[in-house]
Amino acid sequence: MFCTGDFWYKNRPLRIVYIMTMNDLRRGERAVVLKVELPVLLKERLRSLGVFTGAKLTVLKVSGRKKIRLIQAGSAKVALDGETASGIKVWTI
């Protein structure tokens, strides 16, 4: 899946941004959180770990079956399962 694309409109570059979930990111990619669509308790726990709207995240590792992701949010490293990662909407930077 393409994250961003550069197109030309009237001789100017036009950047198209695709909204995706954390499940769509690969190792080494960076993203900004647009929205966290999870239950309130889980959302608060992630917020305390640095995962909130506007936070910059980096994917450090992805498990072989892509079920678990290790991400870095600020100075914290957080492991996310696939269900939790699918509730975090991001766009790449």
Side-chain angles (χ1 to χ4, degrees), residues 11 18-19 26 31 49 53-54 64 70 72 86 89 93:
N11 294 328
Y18 298 99
I19 298 173
R26 298 181 191 152
L49 294 170
T53 303
L70 180 64
Q72 183 166 1
S86 66
K89 308 296 184 208
I93 52 175

Side-chain angles (χ1 to χ4, degrees), residues 7-92:
F7 299 97
W8 291 87
Y9 177 72
K10 294 186 179 179
N11 294 328
R12 292 187 178 170
L14 175 68
R15 187 164 204 180
I16 306 295
V17 177
Y18 298 99
I19 298 173
M20 51 182 30
T21 65
M22 285 296 297
N23 282 335
D24 299 326
L25 297 179
R26 298 181 191 152
R27 182 178 179 215
E29 287 188 314
R30 297 178 61 206
V32 174
V33 178
L34 294 176
K35 190 172 187 178
V36 180
E37 297 176 345
L38 294 168
V40 175
L41 292 176
L42 183 55
K43 193 175 184 178
E44 288 300 316
R45 178 176 287 168
L46 288 174
R47 184 168 182 73
S48 69
L49 294 170
V51 180
F52 52 87
T53 303
K56 294 180 182 176
L57 308 176
T58 305
V59 179
L60 300 177
K61 281 188 178 183
V62 179
S63 70
R65 294 185 182 180
K66 296 187 178 184
K67 290 188 176 182
I68 298 176
R69 301 182 177 295
L70 180 64
I71 63 166
Q72 183 166 1
S75 61
K77 292 182 181 175
V78 183
L80 299 175
D81 63 338
E83 187 178 340
T84 303
S86 66
I88 303 172
K89 308 296 184 208
V90 298
W91 64 277
T92 58

